[in-house]
Amino acid sequence: MAAAQGEITQEMFEPVGADKKASEQISRKVVSTWGDAFRRFVKNKGALFSFFILVFIILMALIGPHLNNYGIYNQSLVRSNLPPKISALSWIPAFSGKENGVDIYQQRGVKQDFWFGTDQLGRDQWDRTWAGTQISLIIGLIAALADVFIGVVYGGISGYFGGVTDNILQRIIEIISGIPNLVWIILLILIMQPGLLTITIAILATNWVAMARIVRGEMFQLKSQEFVLASRTLGASDGRIIFRHLIPNSLGMIIVNTMFSIPLAIFFEAFLSFIGLGIRDPQASLGSLINNGFTILQIHPYQTIYPGLIISLLLICFNIVGNGLRDAFDPKLRR
Amino acid sequence: MGKYILKRIFYMLLTFYVVITLTFLSMKLLPGTPFQNAQKLTPTQLNTLKHYYGLDQPVIVQYGKYIWNFIHGDLGTSFQFGNTPVTSLLFQQFPVSLDLGIEAMIIGTIIGILLGIVAGLHHGKTTDWSAMILATFGFSIPSFIFAGILQYCLGVLVQIFPVAGWGGPMTHVLPVTSLAVGVLAEVTIFMRTEMVEVLNQDYIVTAQAKGLTRSAVVFKHAVRNALIPVVTILGPMTAAIITGSVVIEGIFGIPGIGKQFVSSIITNDYPMIMGTTELYSGLFILTILIVDILYGVIDPRIRISGGHS
């Protein structure tokens, strides 16, 4: 008002009016949830790097045993406890085939190369290590499937229906999770023979509980939102609402938690095999290989190093990728 | 609050009852016999043995007897060690495992909390990154591999600490460290997330706006609030310590329950397996109960909502 003294008067202004079209226009390319998550994940160098290591390990587990033809079970005492040797890389001490300066290959007259060496019975560690990695990966896959097919469904039903159903289902979960995993798995191992099948059943029986709880919480939050009400008004069945609306909306959470439960399951298998209650000789598992190597760790450390390195890498990379995915999907970080 | 605690205790007892029953049932379904060289025994000898241990009675009678004895603290006698009662064996070995577990837990938690605070305060900087990388490694690498590396490097190559055994303070270092690494990593990650979250809260801005010193803001406002949820990972941590101690005790030759547990399973020592399973579950269930109650005491929001549900 005080400034109205000059030449600027109100008549000089005219309202432009809101251009509805312009204000509603989307000036940037639309980014879907998945695209957004993908973009964030790719930006995370550590997670991307870990992802590629995982892909490498998975590929090696699949093709590694076919790269030579010693086989997983072939024994020969002539070639027992040979250190690793790769002729092309023999300038690296770890792959020279020498132990304490002595070329064991020459001493025994062994012509072939054993890339990761051999164990006490002369079995090729390279083949056995990758065969063990296959077991670990199978266990991880089973854990993921248990999460998705049991955990999500259980948690979904419990959270969606609520009331008495929820109460009963939650009491069951409370009892399942009130018993340490170790005890569950050992009780199962006692009834059946230790082996892949037993560990699979144990994982199917217990591994999904955390997932069920998370999905239940998500369901509680989502089911009272308007789009669910709208869908129900349009006559959608309960199953349709759960599987077409609620679960897709919590998919990010489900993926992230699946990624975290995979390394837990892999660790558990390795742990059980390590204490001799999992996969047993002659079958190979990373845990049992490490356990075998431990007995002669002081004399032939290479028998422990490679399986130990691979299981560690596997677990570290799964966890880092899981972290990367969580950051990529985390709604709190998204602005 | 009282109602809430009573409800928790009821569920705890129910869970424990299920554990006892499940243990009993799985023992009954076990393949193999508990008697060494069973093939060499004549049927009469076998029957006498079975009768002596009460294995010839109907399952339901055995179950009833089992529960009755359990309430009276009688877990039977070990098949492995002559006729030593399971309870006395457990009492003999448990303090060792408890010692190992508690030392690892205390060290892991304290260092983890400190590391988490430092990482959280330097959110996004190099300190944070390096702490997180270390924690991810510690969290991911299995404890038995850690134990192996430590034993080999510090016990064999550089002979600072004894390779195995359980006696003086020097023998504690390696096993406790191997067991503590996992706890440390988990607490660090958890504490750091909490710190970052708390530091972004409005009341921290308020405290800074009031002109409080940085240390007052950090310790009086941030750390105190960030510490509350750490109580919740005590349950999973106990489970991890139990699992971990089974391998660690094996590797370092520590005469604790974990080592005993594995050998009981391999030798089909039913009463011993049952006793250990029940001890582990009881410990775990009790920890969860304590965590639930403690959390209710520390955080009034839980107390109120818990009382109503």
Side-chain angles (χ1 to χ4, degrees), chain B residues 233-287:
Chain B
I233 54 170
L234 223 74
M237 245 161 60
T238 312
I241 290 272
I242 289 174
T243 314
S245 68
V246 172
V247 271
I248 300 290
E249 284 174 14
I251 291 171
F252 289 102
I254 297 166
I257 283 193
K259 193 167 171 249
Q260 180 55 56
F261 193 31
V262 178
S263 74
S264 310
I265 294 166
I266 290 166
T267 52
N268 279 351
D269 188 352
Y270 302 171
M272 207 52 206
I273 303 172
M274 287 201 236
T276 318
T277 309
E278 283 148 5
L279 182 73
Y280 278 161
S281 310
L283 206 65
F284 186 60
I285 294 168
L286 199 67
T287 318

Side-chain angles (χ1 to χ4, degrees), chain B residues 111-279:
Chain B
I111 302 179
I113 286 175
L114 291 177
L115 212 59
I117 292 174
V118 173
L121 287 176
H122 296 89
H123 184 209
K125 297 196 187 115
T126 326
T127 325
D128 181 24
W129 270 106
S130 16
M132 277 308 102
I133 290 172
L134 277 181
T136 312
F137 275 56
F139 182 73
S140 309
I141 298 176
S143 51
F144 54 86
I145 291 189
F146 255 121
I149 295 172
L150 285 178
Q151 195 181 38
Y152 187 61
C153 294
L154 299 178
V156 178
L157 291 182
V158 188
Q159 296 176 350
I160 306 175
F161 301 107
V163 175
W166 187 254
M170 286 302 260
T171 57
H172 287 217
V173 177
L174 295 183
V176 169
T177 316
S178 334
L179 202 52
V181 168
V183 176
L184 193 156
E186 208 173 335
V187 174
T188 307
I189 296 172
F190 197 84
M191 189 66 196
R192 177 232 180 214
T193 316
E194 287 303 320
M195 276 301 281
V196 171
E197 198 137 297
V198 165
L199 285 172
N200 282 328
Q201 297 290 325
D202 290 339
Y203 59 79
I204 295 293
V205 182
T206 312
Q208 281 166 340
K210 280 197 306 188
L212 289 184
T213 57
R214 185 168 163 77
S215 65
V217 174
V218 169
F219 290 105
K220 279 204 167 151
H221 294 265
V223 172
R224 273 174 78 177
N225 282 301
L227 270 177
I228 296 174
V230 174
V231 176
T232 51
I233 54 170
L234 223 74
M237 245 161 60
T238 312
I241 290 272
I242 289 174
T243 314
S245 68
V246 172
V247 271
I248 300 290
E249 284 174 14
I251 291 171
F252 289 102
I254 297 166
I257 283 193
K259 193 167 171 249
Q260 180 55 56
F261 193 31
V262 178
S263 74
S264 310
I265 294 166
I266 290 166
T267 52
N268 279 351
D269 188 352
Y270 302 171
M272 207 52 206
I273 303 172
M274 287 201 236
T276 318
T277 309
E278 283 148 5
L279 182 73

Side-chain angles (χ1 to χ4, degrees), chain A residues 171 177-179 183 190 315 319, chain B residues 11 19 30-31 140 277 284-285:
Chain A
R171 293 295 81 78
S177 65
I179 305 169
V183 170
L190 287 173
L315 296 175
N319 277 321
Chain B
Y11 281 127
V19 174
L30 252 176
S140 309
T277 309
F284 186 60
I285 294 168

Side-chain angles (χ1 to χ4, degrees), chain A:
Chain A
M1 295 299 133
Q5 277 194 356
E7 286 91 342
I8 300 166
T9 58
Q10 208 164 12
E11 290 83 65
M12 292 171 79
F13 294 93
E14 61 172 301
V16 176
D19 185 352
K20 277 245 169 77
K21 252 189 185 158
S23 67
E24 290 291 315
Q25 203 180 21
I26 297 164
S27 50
R28 293 256 206 118
K29 222 179 97 194
V30 180
V31 180
S32 66
T33 318
W34 297 98
D36 189 36
F38 178 74
R39 210 176 51 183
R40 279 168 189 278
F41 183 78
V42 171
K43 260 192 200 163
N44 187 336
K45 299 256 164 31
L48 199 62
F49 184 62
S50 304
F51 176 74
F52 285 125
I53 295 182
L54 276 186
V55 171
F56 177 73
I57 292 179
I58 292 169
L59 284 178
M60 284 312 287
L62 293 176
I63 60 171
H66 301 293
L67 292 180
N68 61 30
N69 49 11
Y70 300 125
I72 304 168
Y73 307 119
N74 283 340
Q75 308 177 1
S76 164
L77 288 177
V78 179
R79 52 182 215 215
S80 66
N81 289 328
L82 289 173
K85 182 181 177 187
I86 303 174
S87 290
L89 297 172
S90 56
W91 48 274
I92 303 174
F95 292 115
S96 62
K98 287 180 186 165
E99 210 166 38
N100 302 322
V102 183
D103 192 335
I104 311 283
Y105 284 75
Q106 219 169 33
Q107 200 181 35
R108 303 259 189 90
V110 180
K111 295 280 184 291
Q112 308 103 313
D113 282 4
F114 291 91
W115 299 327
F116 281 179
T118 57
D119 67 3
Q120 298 99 308
L121 297 172
R123 293 176 294 196
D124 181 39
Q125 280 286 94
W126 169 274
D127 283 351
R128 289 181 71 74
T129 303
W130 293 120
T133 315
Q134 282 179 8
I135 299 271
S136 291
L137 292 172
I138 291 171
I139 293 290
L141 186 71
I142 291 165
L145 292 177
D147 262 347
V148 173
F149 287 105
I150 307 176
V152 171
V153 173
Y154 194 102
I157 292 172
S158 180
Y160 180 76
F161 291 107
V164 183
T165 319
D166 179 46
N167 218 341
I168 295 170
L169 292 180
Q170 283 313 302
R171 293 295 81 78
I172 295 173
I173 272 201
E174 205 149 311
I175 289 171
I176 293 177
S177 65
I179 305 169
N181 254 0
L182 176 70
V183 170
W184 272 119
I185 287 176
I186 281 175
L187 288 183
L188 265 166
I189 284 170
L190 287 173
I191 304 169
M192 295 181 287
Q193 283 302 306
L196 190 59
L197 180 71
T198 318
I199 299 181
T200 305
I201 293 173
I203 286 174
L204 287 178
T206 61
N207 215 55
W208 48 271
V209 170
M211 179 64 96
R213 282 193 167 145
I214 290 161
V215 171
R216 172 177 174 263
E218 280 287 285
M219 291 291 130
F220 265 120
Q221 262 179 21
L222 287 173
K223 73 175 179 187
S224 53
Q225 291 192 4
E226 280 89 352
F227 68 90
V228 177
L229 183 66
S231 184
R232 187 172 295 135
T233 318
L234 291 172
S237 64
D238 287 334
R240 191 182 161 81
I241 293 176
I242 294 181
F243 292 107
R244 294 301 298 254
H245 292 287
L246 298 179
I247 287 178
N249 267 297
S250 36
L251 211 53
M253 191 82 105
I254 292 170
I255 291 173
V256 170
N257 280 291
T258 308
M259 277 311 282
F260 281 125
S261 79
I262 290 173
L264 281 181
I266 292 178
F267 164 74
F268 228 85
E269 183 275 320
F271 163 80
L272 288 173
S273 301
F274 181 81
I275 58 177
L277 300 173
I279 311 283
R280 283 178 166 177
D281 250 12
Q283 259 197 307
S285 137
L286 293 177
S288 65
L289 289 177
I290 295 168
N291 187 26
N292 282 341
F294 255 26
T295 50
I296 46 170
L297 180 67
Q298 297 173 26
I299 318 163
H300 307 296
Y302 60 88
Q303 288 184 18
T304 316
I305 289 173
Y306 297 105
L309 199 67
I310 286 168
I311 186 117
S312 303
L313 270 180
L314 210 56
L315 296 175
I316 292 170
C317 290
F318 265 116
N319 277 321
I320 295 181
V321 169
N323 275 329
L325 281 176
R326 187 188 53 204
D327 291 346
F329 279 110
D330 194 343
K332 275 184 214 156
L333 286 173
R334 200 184 296 151
R335 285 266 151 75

